[in-house]
Amino acid sequence: GGMMETITNNYDAFVMALTLALTAPSEEKSAAAIVIAEGIALCLTPEDINKAKDEALIACGLCPEEA
């Protein structure tokens, strides 16, 4: 079980990695999530990356800054 089953593509995985980086309980876990996110980002378009960043912020209860 768990959230991992809902990941169907790189975009979802990227949003999840960013969310993890923002909410990680330690610097170490946050850094690990960022490494994962950077790896996934290589497969995404800049548009997707920006959209995913907004989604991750919203998921964390933060408001994305107006671009």
Side-chain angles (χ1 to χ4, degrees), residues 3 13-24 33 52 55-57 59-60:
M3 289 196 306
F14 186 60
V15 172
M16 195 160 290
L18 287 178
T19 304
L20 204 61
L22 290 166
T23 58
E55 265 191 52
L57 287 172
C60 295

Side-chain angles (χ1 to χ4, degrees), residues 3-47:
M3 289 196 306
M4 300 308 277
E5 288 172 353
T6 61
I7 293 179
T8 52
N9 56 41
N10 285 330
Y11 181 80
D12 287 342
F14 186 60
V15 172
M16 195 160 290
L18 287 178
T19 304
L20 204 61
L22 290 166
T23 58
S26 67
E27 283 292 319
E28 201 178 325
K29 287 196 168 85
S30 179
I34 289 168
V35 169
I36 294 167
E38 285 177 343
I40 301 166
L42 298 173
C43 310
L44 298 174
T45 64
E47 290 80 12

